[in-house]
DNA sequence: GCGACAG
DNA sequence: ATCTTGTCGC
């Protein structure tokens, strides 16, 4: 369950972009077999506090959307926030948090873009490739791409394009609330990603996995090690 | 040069 | 992301 570390994290912005260009073709936009029997869905998110990165991962039972495991990992910030290079700021803390999880997730929802990224390698895509697992990018705002505003009813969506290329969708996860920017992370197709995200929504804008991971990273959920960790 | 820009 | 309380609307 230990993710492959195929490249260094202690890099310059220029090197970071080179790494993204080198790995962008590793993304698989195809549904894999395990998506047909999803039992565990994970949500990952990160918060920054006192110059420290707080990475949180929450694993939910796919059918009940109840928490069955979670973990947190904190470490110093080692990379600045640069649009397009978010992975190099958050991933170094997410990987250790992932290693602590005892339950193997079948799918991972990430708070950030998948391939809806300048080099088609946003955080969700990068994490998916490193973990070799299906991931979906669920961003709260746009990084790149043009789109038409989707209708106000929950479930409605429009395509997100970068020129002629379809890179994602703008999905209304809740009626009359700002839409989410969904894109393929890894080992999944966009239509499937949209369907699964909607199935993870419980009346809030953010799907449960990501929503709970966000609360966990912000220190709003009961301490993982006190309740769910072994 | 100017504006845009995941979290 | 973070700094921060109450408040308007479905």
């Amino acid at each position: 369950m230990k993710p492959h570390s195929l490249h260094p994290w202690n890099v310059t912005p220029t090197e970071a972009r080179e790494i993204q260009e080198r790995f962008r073709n590793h993304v698989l936009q195809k549904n894999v077999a395990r998506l047909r029997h999803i039992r565990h869905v994970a949500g990952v998110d990160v918060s920054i506090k006192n110059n420290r990165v707080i990475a949180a991962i929450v694993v939910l039972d796919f059918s009940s959307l109840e928490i069955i495991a979670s973990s947190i990992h904190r470490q110093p910030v080692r990379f600045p926030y640069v649009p397009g290079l978010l992975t190099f700021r958050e991933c170094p803390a997410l990987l250790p948090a992932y290693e602590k999880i005892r339950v193997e997730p079948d799918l991972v929802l990430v708070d950030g873009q998948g391939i809806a990224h300048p080099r088609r390698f946003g955080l969700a895509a990068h994490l998916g490739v490193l973990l070799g697992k299906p991931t979906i990018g669920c961003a709260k705002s746009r990084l790149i791409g043009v789109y038409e505003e989707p209708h106000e009813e929950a479930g409605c969506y429009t395509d997100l394009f970068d020129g002629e290329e379809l890179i994602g969708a703008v999905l209304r996860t809740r009626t009359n609330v700002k839409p989410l920017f969904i894109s393929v992370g890894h080992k999944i197709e966009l239509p499937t990603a949209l369907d699964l995200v909607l199935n993870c929504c419980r009346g809030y804008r953010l799907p449960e996995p990501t929503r709970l991971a966000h609360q966990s990273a912000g220190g709003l959920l009961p301490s993982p090690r006190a309740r769910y960790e072994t």
Side-chain angles (χ1 to χ4, degrees), chain A residues 23-222:
Chain A
F23 284 86
R24 58 181 297 174
N25 32 304
H26 287 45
V27 173
L28 180 62
Q29 288 194 63
K30 195 70 182 172
N31 287 338
V32 289
R34 74 190 311 170
L35 288 175
R36 294 178 60 73
H37 310 301
I38 301 175
R39 294 176 56 188
H40 306 137
V41 200
V44 308
D45 190 32
V46 162
S47 70
I48 305 294
K49 199 77 174 181
N50 298 318
N51 214 40
R52 305 204 89 214
V53 184
I54 304 174
I57 297 183
V58 174
V59 181
L60 315 181
D61 173 77
F62 186 61
S63 51
S64 68
L65 294 183
E66 294 297 311
I67 297 180
I68 58 179
S70 73
S71 74
I72 287 183
H73 180 78
R74 306 178 180 74
Q75 65 179 43
V77 169
R78 298 174 195 170
F79 198 90
Y81 169 67
V82 179
L85 301 182
L86 185 64
T87 300
F88 293 83
R89 182 177 175 79
E90 307 193 338
C91 228
L94 282 172
L95 297 178
Y98 185 81
E99 290 182 46
K100 297 180 186 174
I101 290 289
R102 295 210 169 194
V103 182
E104 181 86 9
D106 302 300
L107 169 70
V108 181
L109 268 52
V110 182
D111 185 24
Q113 311 289 352
I115 62 171
H117 175 279
R119 291 167 291 284
R120 305 291 183 272
F121 208 58
L123 176 58
H126 201 138
L127 189 60
V129 169
L130 292 181
L131 302 182
K133 193 172 290 288
T135 59
I136 299 175
C138 305
K140 298 184 294 300
S141 64
R142 186 197 76 101
L143 175 56
I144 64 165
V146 296
Y147 64 95
E148 260 170 31
E149 201 65 31
H151 290 165
E152 292 298 327
E153 292 67 45
C156 294
Y157 68 89
T158 56
D159 295 325
L160 178 63
F161 286 102
D162 182 12
E164 299 291 81
E165 187 179 354
L166 176 65
I167 59 175
V170 185
L171 175 69
R172 195 78 68 179
T173 52
R174 174 179 176 171
T175 301
N176 293 325
V177 169
K178 291 204 312 178
L180 245 40
F181 294 73
I182 309 301
S183 61
V184 167
H186 189 45
K187 294 187 172 182
I188 199 169
E189 289 159 38
L190 186 57
T192 303
L194 293 173
D195 181 55
L196 293 177
V197 166
L198 285 176
N199 274 306
C200 285
C201 289
R202 283 292 196 193
Y204 293 94
R205 177 161 90 123
L206 300 183
E208 288 300 284
T210 294
R211 194 177 73 83
L212 294 172
H214 184 277
Q215 296 186 340
S216 180
L220 306 169
L221 285 183

